Amino acid sequence: MARGWLEEAGLEVEVDEAGNLFGHVQVPGTGTRRIWTGSHLDTVPQGGKFDGALGVVAAIEAVERAGRGTVAIFRDEERGCAGGRALVSRGALPDAFLEVHIEQGPRLADAGAPLGVVSGVVGVSRGTIVIEGHAGHAGTTPMDARDDALVKAAEVVLRIRETASAIDGAVATVGELAVEPGAVNVIPSRVTFSIDARAPDSERCQQLIDALGFEPTYRTSPAQMAPELRGVLRAEIEARGLPVVELASGAGHDAAVLAAAGVPSAMLFVRSLNGGVSHSPDELSSEEDVALAVDVLAATLARL
Ligand SMILES: [Zn+2]
């Protein structure tokens, strides 16, 4: 389907081994830097229409209008940017990358700004914490004689919240929890839970991991967006009489994978409505805001 959109826009289509899709155009007389723009088309189960797809559609429209650049449609982003990583590992990278994406949060709506320039993408660390206790009969073991793994885990979960709250820009989440043996009349003997910890720069990522005291089994580096590209996006937003808001991204993105590989990258966020809800069918941006994002992206492509 996306291939058809690229062809319809008059772009030259290419697919790489990882299944990433590209659409290229170069009208004579436009700039010579190899600029890519795009996002991903996959989404999460029960997801919304905007996460990923907005950046692909905006890229096709903007590249067609600007008459230059390459639309990059990355495969399999939600499970850890698989397409973007495969691409980076092969090394045929552009001179710059721009990604339009729905904000997936409430900050632009709170600021009354349709668009935002991303300053950087947080680093993500994930791991597992195991808390041991002793199983016992729920009826015959007195309260003062218990070693309840779930009660201890509950204290740790609260401590994780406090620890992350104390580091500026950091967040940490316990989203999965398994209780053993998991019976209504047995004191829990073991609890295993996940931890997902994020912070805007390497220093704070490490500070957070140390303070939480877990061993990450999955880790992505925080990525700073390129000052030059951010400057052009800011100027294009300002030229339209809109407020200029810069914000860090708390979610991972293909732009972070490219930035980490050394490609100067930037992201333009589009205001989320409905309180910033995302990974949900209620995810929404207005048509007016999307149109502004396409204008800014096309103008930025033309200037680079
Ligand atoms: Zn996304």
Side-chain angles (χ1 to χ4, degrees):
M1 188 171 64
R3 189 187 184 110
W5 299 339
L6 295 173
E7 285 165 354
E8 220 173 276
L11 309 181
E12 193 183 302
V13 179
E14 210 182 304
V15 186
D16 75 6
E17 298 146 36
N20 300 305
L21 188 61
F22 300 93
H24 178 70
V25 69
Q26 178 83 55
V27 171
T30 58
T32 55
R33 277 163 94 183
R34 288 169 307 139
I35 317 286
W36 290 3
T37 177
S39 193
H40 59 100
L41 274 183
D42 62 314
T43 183
V44 295
Q46 316 288 327
K49 286 188 287 196
F50 291 79
D51 178 4
L54 172 60
V56 170
V57 173
I60 296 171
E61 178 70 22
V63 165
E64 187 183 5
R65 264 197 232 170
R68 69 170 304 222
T70 298
V71 177
I73 304 176
F74 295 107
R75 194 182 162 92
D76 204 0
E77 189 268 352
E78 296 289 356
R79 292 184 299 174
C81 297
R85 285 176 198 281
L87 182 102
V88 160
S89 70
R90 287 202 327 281
L93 296 172
D95 299 320
F97 176 67
L98 300 165
E99 182 169 4
V100 170
H101 204 283
I102 185 167
E103 182 201 343
Q104 306 179 278
R107 286 174 295 171
L108 292 175
D110 289 349
L115 303 175
V117 179
V118 176
S119 52
V121 178
V122 296
V124 182
S125 307
R126 292 187 184 139
T128 302
I129 293 180
V130 179
I131 307 283
E132 304 276 3
H134 281 100
H137 194 293
T140 59
T141 316
M143 292 309 284
D144 62 0
R146 293 178 181 218
D147 182 14
D148 184 326
L150 182 55
V151 170
K152 291 196 283 189
E155 287 166 1
V156 176
V157 171
L158 292 174
R159 207 155 58 230
I160 288 168
R161 181 179 64 174
E162 280 158 29
T163 303
S165 302
I167 298 172
D168 186 38
V171 291
T173 304
V174 174
E176 287 175 344
L177 189 141
V179 180
E180 294 172 59
V184 68
N185 57 352
V186 182
I187 296 164
S189 59
R190 183 208 278 259
V191 172
T192 306
F193 61 85
S194 64
I195 181 160
D196 174 301
R198 306 180 184 215
D201 54 49
S202 303
E203 199 189 339
R204 279 178 282 182
C205 282
Q206 196 54 50
Q207 193 189 345
L208 184 61
I209 292 164
D210 293 344
L212 295 173
F214 74 105
E215 205 54 61
T217 49
Y218 169 90
R219 200 165 171 179
T220 66
S221 302
Q224 298 311 310
M225 297 292 99
E228 183 214 351
L229 303 178
R230 282 164 61 182
V232 177
L233 289 173
R234 275 199 309 269
E236 289 297 334
I237 290 172
E238 211 164 15
R240 285 162 181 77
L242 303 171
V244 178
V245 175
E246 293 209 78
L247 68 176
S249 170
H253 294 290
D254 292 303
V257 174
L258 272 84
V263 177
S265 300
M267 291 190 78
L268 182 65
F269 271 174
V270 182
R271 170 165 55 189
S272 287
L273 302 178
N274 291 338
V277 66
S278 186
H279 284 182
S280 150
D282 295 329
E283 180 182 79
L284 187 66
S285 286
S286 75
E287 282 178 28
E288 294 75 27
D289 291 357
V290 169
L292 283 170
V294 173
D295 279 349
V296 167
L297 179 61
T300 302
L301 282 173
R303 271 178 66 169
L304 290 174

